[in-house]
Amino acid sequence: MRNYKIASIPADGIGPEVIDAGLAVLEALARREGDINFDVTHFDWGTDYYKKYGAMMPSDGLAQLKSFDAIYFGAVGAPDVPDHITLWGLRLQICQSFDQYANVRPTKIIDGVESPLRNAQPGDLDWVIVRENSEGEYAGNGGRVHKGMPEEVGTEVAIFTRIGVERIMRFAFELAQKRPRKFLTVVTKSNAQRHGMVMWDEIAAEVAKDFPDVTWDKMLVDAMTVRMTLDPKSLDTIVATNLHADILSDLAGALAGSIGVAPTANIDPQRRFPSMFEPIHGSAFDITGKGIANPVATFWTACQMLEHLGEPSAAARLMRAIETVTAAGIKTPDIGGKASTKEVTDAMIDAIKGSNE
Ligand code: GGG
């Protein structure tokens, strides 16, 4: 029996609803596989914890997480606490402290889910966006002086380091190399941002020399939104800065049908720390407690987690179950269905139980 220690942090809003669904499906998957087991520990960290204790997680939180094989994360953010406090206090704290510098965001049109793009079919849009996840616009470098005065100044300084850019570029080229099309698009804004972004372009060209079998091109981020919308088939693997990729991946999720199906993996490729798996979507307080949160992104990120743990066949079984359920029309309202979170989850469990070897 292969045993995996999973830290579950559902956190805020619909996070607990989708993580409950994800854990129920993982349990069914473990039973179906027969030789894997998930040993899950729950952490009640998040905004409710913050309201009680003044911090999003305890001061030894990272030490508590360090020995886990993976972290299964829900969503962070609440309407009554500023977003920069909740985000930096938990999600970014974990990503940055555990040097999860590669954020991997696959997007495709899955069976039974309709893209808002006219005539787009499954296969027409099949991308992986690699988001630099440790620095750039999220370096946390900046400050405010003369608060509230007319002469107030606020700075938010993006930091790009050669080490940071080179390692994400190498990761992206390696990922592109493993995909059938072996094609990478490097996104920057190096016309207007003439320092760090020009360095990105230069490092891309240097790293590309080590990957002669990977074809690559460059796009400015504004033009990239047009290409994603009008020519989705022309893209495959994409690498971009922390902020650019954050924005592009929301667009990608929407073009594939809904942000509710879009997964993300925060990876430490060197495996010094646990990696963290979550839906891209946030806490969605507008639908919290209504029982209609789409759990598909949380199931799909569990596939990413299984691949990271070295369980590709279990990951493939789970992905097949997702597409069986969506193809059968068992879908939440955000992707045009009428099913509840529980009905989708129950259908997933049945699909896993009934799946072939
Ligand atoms: N599950 C993802 C999540 O909770 N995201 C919250 C959020 O606001 N993220 C902002 C960001 O990652 O840039």
Side-chain angles (χ1 to χ4, degrees):
M1 184 71 76
R2 297 182 300 285
N3 192 48
Y4 298 109
K5 281 178 66 193
I6 309 294
S8 145
I9 311 177
D12 300 337
I14 59 169
E17 298 168 44
V18 292
I19 289 293
D20 276 357
L23 290 174
V25 160
L26 279 173
E27 203 180 296
L29 185 71
R31 273 200 304 272
R32 178 67 187 81
E33 293 288 320
D35 54 3
I36 56 179
N37 179 58
F38 301 107
D39 176 6
V40 180
T41 304
H42 300 276
F43 294 90
D44 64 347
W45 305 341
T47 304
D48 286 346
Y49 189 95
Y50 174 84
K51 287 176 185 164
K52 266 198 236 158
Y53 303 109
M56 293 289 287
M57 65 172 160
S59 53
D60 68 345
L62 294 167
Q64 290 189 47
L65 292 176
K66 195 161 184 293
S67 64
F68 284 86
D69 295 310
I71 303 164
Y72 200 33
F73 191 86
V76 73
D80 50 353
V81 177
D83 284 338
H84 65 277
I85 292 178
T86 53
L87 186 62
W88 277 94
L90 191 59
R91 188 180 167 275
L92 292 184
Q93 178 79 3
I94 296 169
C95 291
Q96 297 203 351
S97 304
F98 285 168
D99 208 12
Q100 296 164 344
Y101 65 83
N103 183 240
V104 182
R105 304 186 152 197
T107 314
K108 62 177 178 174
I109 302 173
I110 56 177
D111 279 350
V113 176
E114 209 175 310
S115 164
L117 294 174
R118 211 174 336 127
N119 304 326
Q121 300 299 320
D124 288 351
L125 187 164
D126 185 357
W127 306 328
V128 182
I129 297 178
V130 177
R131 173 183 180 184
E132 198 296 315
N133 211 33
S134 66
E135 55 173 41
E137 308 87 345
Y138 282 57
N141 182 27
R144 283 172 71 179
V145 289
H146 311 306
K147 267 197 185 173
M149 316 274 283
E151 61 271 34
E152 180 167 359
V153 177
T155 60
E156 198 75 53
V157 183
I159 305 280
F160 300 102
T161 64
R162 178 164 279 276
I163 287 177
V165 178
E166 191 175 329
R167 66 185 184 175
I168 199 64
M169 210 57 81
R170 213 162 269 291
F171 183 93
F173 270 97
E174 278 166 13
L175 184 63
Q177 195 175 44
K178 287 185 204 129
R179 286 171 56 85
R181 287 175 67 189
K182 299 189 193 305
F183 179 59
L184 177 69
T185 299
V186 177
V187 178
T188 65
K189 186 65 186 167
S190 55
N191 55 347
Q193 297 182 305
R194 58 196 172 139
H195 307 295
M197 293 284 77
V198 174
M199 187 176 85
W200 263 70
D201 283 346
E202 287 172 9
I203 292 175
E206 286 165 24
V207 172
K209 291 189 188 129
D210 292 338
F211 298 87
D213 55 339
V214 176
T215 310
W216 70 287
D217 63 5
K218 289 191 294 185
M219 288 298 290
L220 298 175
V221 65
D222 47 342
M224 185 66 174
T225 60
V226 178
R227 182 166 166 193
M228 287 167 73
T229 309
L230 298 184
D231 196 8
K233 278 195 227 179
S234 74
L235 295 162
D236 187 78
T237 311
I238 296 157
V239 62
T241 71
N242 216 326
L243 181 62
H244 291 167
D246 182 43
I247 297 165
L248 293 180
S249 56
D250 269 29
L251 173 62
L255 294 177
S258 168
I259 187 102
V261 301
T264 177
N266 304 279
I267 307 277
D268 164 24
Q270 273 80 48
R271 294 174 181 266
R272 297 153 296 172
F273 303 101
S275 292
M276 181 162 77
F277 302 85
E278 56 175 339
I280 284 184
H281 65 70
S283 46
F285 265 81
D286 53 332
I287 55 160
T288 299
K290 294 188 176 164
I292 54 162
N294 192 340
V296 167
T298 307
F299 301 149
W300 192 347
T301 196
C303 298
Q304 293 185 289
M305 180 164 81
L306 288 161
E307 271 158 20
H308 184 75
L309 293 172
E311 296 289 351
S313 68
R317 187 192 299 282
L318 183 50
M319 198 65 215
R320 283 198 303 276
I322 292 172
E323 298 214 53
T324 303
V325 169
T326 51
I330 306 165
K331 302 182 293 188
T332 48
D334 59 303
I335 45 174
K338 291 197 165 65
S340 64
T341 312
K342 183 167 184 329
E343 284 163 342
V344 176
T345 307
D346 290 347
M348 281 290 295
I349 292 170
D350 288 345
I352 289 166
K353 272 189 197 155
S355 60
N356 299 326
E357 263 325 299

